[in-house]
Amino acid sequence: MPSSPEDPKLLAALSAIDAAHALDPNIINTLSGPTPYELHYARKMTSYLTLRCPSAPATLQLAIRAQHFRRWEIPRDSYPLTKPGYFAWRTFLKKRQAEQAAQICRESGLSDTEAERVAMLIRKEDLKGDEETQVLEDVASLVFLDDQFEEFERRLGDEEKMVGILRRTWAKMSEPGREMALQMEMGENAKRLVGRALAG
């Protein structure tokens, strides 16, 4: 599939995905003004994809843009606040997001094969065997570290748990992704926690 930014099918699908993101009622303040959170998140994902994989094919670009598609409709507290509840929530979200994104791809003129490829990437199938799935995981981890980490750490309020989360995040990343993470600007507390996580 063409990966040119001028490809009309890609542009149509990206536009439809962003139109859905724009419906997120959770608004945050950004440099460009008040922005629906999921639209902000999607833009961050695309920004890091450009750095991590400048030649990304259109299917990966779409999976990246739709990674949290309409997630606000299924809040975390709609499932039990336990570890099994968390994994059930995540599993359901990946399946739902993949199905909805694939449907947008078909409606935008992409083939069934291309739409299913987008869905497979969103479901993160074959993480260690599929290079593009690994790129998606790297990008999601980079956005977490850059845009969500400090707020997540404040809400969690448990340094040991946070260090454990960082270790698991690091384990899922590739070497190029880790190199990018180490070059990030972070606050002093974030640097300290990352240092603890990497020290084992």
Side-chain angles (χ1 to χ4, degrees), residues 14-24 36 38 69-70 72 104:
L14 288 172
S15 178
I17 290 167
D18 281 355
H21 289 325
L23 299 176
D24 183 0
E38 290 301 347
F69 193 74
R70 303 187 80 98
W72 76 87
I104 281 180

Side-chain angles (χ1 to χ4, degrees), residues 34-139:
T35 305
Y37 177 74
E38 290 301 347
L39 185 58
H40 164 77
Y41 178 85
R43 288 169 175 167
K44 278 277 187 182
M45 290 286 289
T46 294
S47 176
Y48 272 103
L49 175 64
T50 301
L51 296 173
R52 174 63 180 82
C53 185
S55 60
T59 46
L60 180 54
Q61 293 180 49
L62 290 164
I64 286 283
R65 198 74 171 192
Q67 220 256 321
H68 277 184
F69 193 74
R70 303 187 80 98
R71 177 171 286 200
W72 76 87
E73 295 179 336
I74 313 292
R76 171 67 185 91
D77 60 11
S78 62
Y79 279 72
L81 300 178
T82 60
K83 185 175 286 188
Y86 171 76
F87 286 118
W89 174 68
R90 287 288 301 273
T91 298
F92 176 76
L93 281 175
K94 283 195 290 188
K95 181 176 182 293
R96 180 179 188 262
Q97 289 160 183
E99 290 173 351
Q100 292 179 334
Q103 183 60 29
I104 281 180
C105 290
R106 294 186 190 96
E107 291 171 354
S108 300
L110 280 74
S111 69
D112 286 343
T113 299
E114 292 163 341
E116 179 52 29
R117 177 59 177 163
V118 172
M120 288 174 62
L121 288 165
I122 292 173
R123 292 193 297 265
K124 296 183 182 179
E125 295 182 6
D126 193 19
L127 177 57
K128 293 303 180 183
D130 188 313
E131 184 178 352
E132 290 179 8
T133 304
Q134 182 62 65
V135 169
L136 188 148
E137 184 63 49
D138 283 352
V139 169

Side-chain angles (χ1 to χ4, degrees), residues 127-128 134 137-138 141 145 163-175 177-178 197-198:
L127 177 57
K128 293 303 180 183
Q134 182 62 65
E137 184 63 49
D138 283 352
S141 297
L145 292 169
V163 169
I165 289 168
L166 286 169
R167 285 176 181 151
R168 290 191 293 275
T169 298
W170 199 256
K172 291 186 290 185
M173 297 177 74
S174 69
E175 282 306 314
R178 291 171 181 172
L198 298 187

